[in-house]
Amino acid sequence: MAVPIGLGGAVGGRLLPEGIPARFFGTAVLAHLLAWLGIIATADALPGFAGGAGPVLATLHLLTIGVLVMTAMGASLQMLPVMLARPAPPARACNAVFVLLLAGGALTIGGFAATDGRAIAAGALASAAAGGLYVATIVRLIGDAREPAGLVLHVRAALAALLAALAIALAISVNYHHAILGDPLRWAFAHATLAAFGFMGLLALGFATVLIPMFAMADPPPEAPITAAFRVVAIALALALAGIAAGHRWLIAAALIAGLAGVGLHLRAMARSLAGRMRKRLGPEFVLIRAGWIALPAALLIGLAAALGLAPATVPMLFITATLFGWLLTLLMGVLQRILPFLASMHSARSGGRVAAPAKLTDERALRAHRWCHAAAVAALVAGLALDQPWLVRTGGIAGALGAVAFAWFALTVSIRTRAHMRAGPAVAPGRTT
Amino acid sequence: MTEQRSGNGDRPRSDAPGGGGLSAETRLAELLAARPELDAVLRSLDPGGDAADAPTLAAFARTLGLPVAAVVAAMTGALPEACARLAETGAADSEGTVSEPEPAWLAEIEHADTVLLDVRPLIAAGRDPFLAVMTDAGRVPPGGGLIIDAPFDPQPLRRVLAGRGFATWARTVAPGHVQVWCRRTDAGAAADTLGAAADAPGAAPRIWADGERLHIDVRGLAPPRPMTAILRLIDQGRHRGEIVVHHEREPLYLLPELADRGWSAETVPGAPGEVRLILRRGDG
């Protein structure tokens, strides 16, 4: 006797209610647009930015908290249970993480924009609560899982980095009222390093070991080179933090060189995995994924030039931009354009009928428009910062905003088509899912 | 083979095989439009789909490193007229003879552990021998042997076997009869029979045929290997019937990929702790 494939059973147990990832991703899509608008608004101040609360820091946190962290948390809460074959975390916990992160992000960003210390402190507190709850939820979800080893290793380290980044953020927010930190800028660098390379970076590297082979229909990279790459990257992070703490330029340079080596090992393992792929013609998402992979070592080289004092004054901001926009945002957009219709397709099985084909949920025109705009935006932004030309930065912001609109159009299309598919209801006999 | 080959609705030219002639310049799209049953023969020659986009028979043979005459000879069961023409010219003999130095391991093959497989009747009937070869290859223990009788030297298949831990050696027994000796090395014993990384112990899905159904057991594989193994099986396009999947959990990531390929999935009762699925083309 045929029985339903079980969206109410084991599969359903690994799948969150569709509203939860939609909330995280929807917020990220909106924040993506706001971040590029922020670039337009702060174009004059961006090249010379040297830290401190203000509109530039608000814009950067629109990207980091609003887009990167929001997406990372939403995606991991939904995808880790499937990857690890574990039950999905409680919906209440996920919703609480979302609400706290949304509130924390809004207060932090608003506080930075208005230079309001109380709002910044409240935002940091709410964000730390969101992060703490998220870490507890993921730790419970992972449990004693050891496979896939590369993924589990990276996620655990990313969680530790997130906790450290949040603790420093809290300390910095307190420092606005009571001077408890000796050199706030140094702590801000440590926070940024832990958040961008520790949490987001390690999560991106770990998820890549499962998601990229899945996208390309390839075998995952072997454990040994991925573990070796992880160790080198972890050493690089430790060196960077030590260098920042000690204010030692050469230690930071050594960290960046170690980071380049670790990234090289990781990318080599990924390239080998992709070389044996089954899907010979990779999807368009790989344009952005590969561009993100190129941007990462490029960002590290820019950082190295800055650490060694070999570059103009705007290079630190160039390093931050290449890391956040060039690497993390580009990679994330590439992954998102694949997993949004993919997740929607999985959720469509809840209707009890056919699973919606991801290709039919996707509007390729919107994605194409986004890719061109994103490429132009990052190129103009980097050029504007390198040449200290605010008009180029502003042009990049305009292109990025147009790309963000195109991406929002794509996300909306996925949502509308999925709902239409699910409204159509069961179209096949019970037990059939596709 | 691609749909480009089998799904082409162009009319065959007057000198195309369907019209009687066969040459190195024969266009595959036209050949298959005229003789769609030959698609299975081409698939058996090109298990990895390396020559899927080859426009002509010569390009197809060149891509795979096969003599043109060997490709033609592989079609003899379905194209006796071409076979006759080749026999007249002697092309198959001159191009198809295999002479490789005997490897040392040949003497080490234990006859008790040797599996014999004659794929000539399958190819002559226009059927794809790939699954038969892979099924039998999976039964070969480390150090054991597999002897395949084929109408030509199946270089692409030998490359696939090499990737799965087999050393191979071929010799011409008679015109149109090549014997391929394969020995499973110890290193290859744990290799994934669908191409998983050789350094991943226990990463091998088990595949076997049961009448018209093909079974794949992906239990014990780490994600995303179960999904890639199942999709690899589907994308190879060799099996058009049902596929029975033996899994340890409901394969959530697989569902969108199946939907994109126009396949349906259905759960059926399985062993305790097993999730058993039947996959079908279309809506079943």
Side-chain angles (χ1 to χ4, degrees), chain B residues 5-276:
Chain B
R5 264 182 215 152
S6 56
N8 194 317
D10 294 349
R11 300 289 304 164
R13 292 188 326 210
S14 59
D15 62 343
L22 185 66
S23 73
E25 296 311 311
T26 298
R27 301 196 71 79
L28 289 175
E30 294 171 3
L31 170 69
L32 292 172
R35 304 292 298 268
E37 71 275 13
L38 290 179
D39 192 40
V41 180
L42 294 180
R43 284 174 194 277
S44 71
L45 292 166
D46 183 19
D50 299 333
D53 296 324
T56 62
L57 207 145
F60 179 86
R62 193 166 51 246
T63 305
L64 299 176
L66 294 171
V68 175
V71 175
V72 175
M75 301 175 178
T76 53
L79 280 178
E81 66 274 28
C83 178
R85 186 172 295 107
L86 282 163
E88 282 171 18
T89 60
D93 287 346
S94 61
E95 283 191 50
T97 300
V98 183
S99 101
E100 297 173 0
E102 284 193 16
W105 53 259
L106 214 56
E108 297 168 13
I109 288 186
E110 295 291 336
H111 282 282
D113 290 332
T114 300
V115 178
L116 305 176
L117 176 64
D118 189 348
V119 298
R120 289 172 300 171
L122 290 173
I123 292 174
R127 291 176 60 192
D128 184 354
F130 183 80
L131 286 175
V133 173
M134 287 300 113
T135 303
D136 280 2
R139 292 165 44 204
V140 176
L146 169 67
I147 300 175
I148 304 167
D149 288 294
F152 56 90
D153 181 13
Q155 287 285 349
L157 181 66
R158 289 175 66 184
R159 283 197 289 272
V160 171
L161 287 167
R164 284 153 208 194
F166 281 89
T168 67
W169 171 77
R171 68 183 177 111
T172 298
V173 178
H177 181 192
V178 174
Q179 206 165 52
V180 183
W181 289 59
C182 316
R183 181 178 186 246
R184 185 160 214 163
T185 62
D186 290 334
D192 182 351
T193 54
L194 283 178
D199 64 346
R206 208 160 62 85
I207 300 171
W208 70 99
D210 168 20
E212 292 299 308
R213 278 181 171 176
L214 197 64
H215 291 250
I216 178 166
D217 188 342
V218 293
R219 285 173 288 186
L221 302 190
R225 283 208 168 97
M227 184 182 74
T228 52
I230 294 164
L231 293 176
R232 204 185 297 262
L233 198 59
I234 287 174
D235 288 349
Q236 281 168 345
R238 296 190 177 82
H239 184 70
R240 299 191 174 270
E242 293 176 349
I243 295 176
V244 182
V245 176
H246 303 263
H247 214 305
E248 58 200 352
R249 57 183 170 270
E250 284 151 326
L252 193 46
Y253 283 164
L254 180 67
L255 301 181
E257 294 287 352
L258 287 177
D260 261 348
R261 288 162 173 77
W263 279 66
S264 66
E266 184 179 357
T267 48
V268 293
E274 177 197 355
V275 173
R276 191 175 294 180

Side-chain angles (χ1 to χ4, degrees), chain A residues 1-6 10-11 14-15 79 82-83 85 148 210 214 217-220 222 278-279 281 338 342 345-346 354-359 431-434, chain B residues 53 192 195-197 199 222-225 227-228 231-232 235 249-253 255-261 263-269 277 280 282-284:
Chain A
M1 184 186 72
V3 295
I5 199 162
V11 168
R14 285 184 281 147
L15 213 52
M79 302 193 84
V82 185
M83 290 171 171
V210 176
M214 196 178 85
M217 292 293 121
D219 288 316
M278 201 167 75
R279 182 173 278 150
R281 291 196 181 116
R338 174 77 177 154
F342 202 81
S345 170
M346 290 195 297
R354 286 180 198 165
V355 176
R432 299 274 160 75
T433 59
T434 298
Chain B
D53 296 324
D192 182 351
D199 64 346
R225 283 208 168 97
M227 184 182 74
T228 52
L231 293 176
R232 204 185 297 262
D235 288 349
R249 57 183 170 270
E250 284 151 326
L252 193 46
Y253 283 164
L255 301 181
E257 294 287 352
L258 287 177
D260 261 348
R261 288 162 173 77
W263 279 66
S264 66
E266 184 179 357
T267 48
V268 293
L277 304 171
R280 298 184 182 90
D283 295 334

Side-chain angles (χ1 to χ4, degrees), chain A residues 64 191-202 323-324 327-328:
Chain A
T64 54
H191 163 76
T193 302
L194 281 164
F197 292 98
F199 176 58
M200 283 304 303
L202 289 174
T323 301
L324 297 182
W327 169 40
L328 287 173

Side-chain angles (χ1 to χ4, degrees), chain A residues 101-169:
Chain A
L101 187 63
L102 185 66
L107 283 166
T108 305
I109 292 158
F112 282 140
T115 327
D116 182 337
R118 284 179 190 279
I120 294 170
L125 198 61
S127 299
L133 184 58
Y134 166 79
V135 169
T137 307
I138 297 294
V139 164
R140 192 173 172 190
L141 191 159
I142 295 177
D144 58 354
R146 296 191 179 278
E147 296 288 337
L151 174 70
V152 172
L153 200 60
H154 281 85
V155 171
R156 286 201 170 116
L159 295 180
L162 175 64
L163 287 178
L166 288 169
I168 295 173

